[in-house]
Amino acid sequence: SLPETRERVSPARATAALFVNALVCPGIGSMVGGRNAVGVAQMSLFMVGLPLAVVNVGLPLLAAAWAWGIFSGAKLVSEASE
């Protein structure tokens, strides 16, 4: 398991991370928020699911990557507002 930094993230940066995760590509927003290991895992899941979506096998992977990205973005916002 890769060590993950738990630096304090500003609320604005956490909100930006949530929107990037939700709208652009899962994983990038997590990396913007300082959660690099989680971001790489989310992006990997998304990139594996993308070509497999052509044959409908990757659709659950894409959905899982996006759900995970939104969840981790929301968690960043929650942690930043504490």
Side-chain angles (χ1 to χ4, degrees), residues 3-81:
E4 189 171 323
T5 61
R6 290 288 179 180
E7 65 185 48
R8 185 89 172 144
V9 178
S10 72
R13 188 173 178 187
T15 303
L18 174 61
F19 282 115
V20 171
N21 266 344
L23 299 175
V24 180
C25 177
I28 294 175
S30 296
M31 288 187 266
V32 167
R35 307 297 192 261
N36 294 331
V38 170
V40 168
Q42 290 169 349
M43 190 178 296
S44 298
L45 185 63
F46 180 75
M47 292 301 169
V48 168
L50 204 56
L52 291 175
V54 175
V55 291
N56 292 332
V57 175
L59 294 178
L61 295 176
L62 292 175
W66 251 304
W68 186 12
I70 291 170
F71 173 77
S72 64
K75 186 174 176 187
L76 275 171
V77 171
S78 173
E79 289 173 0
S81 64

Side-chain angles (χ1 to χ4, degrees), residues 2 10 37 39 49 82:
L2 297 172
S10 72
E82 290 178 352

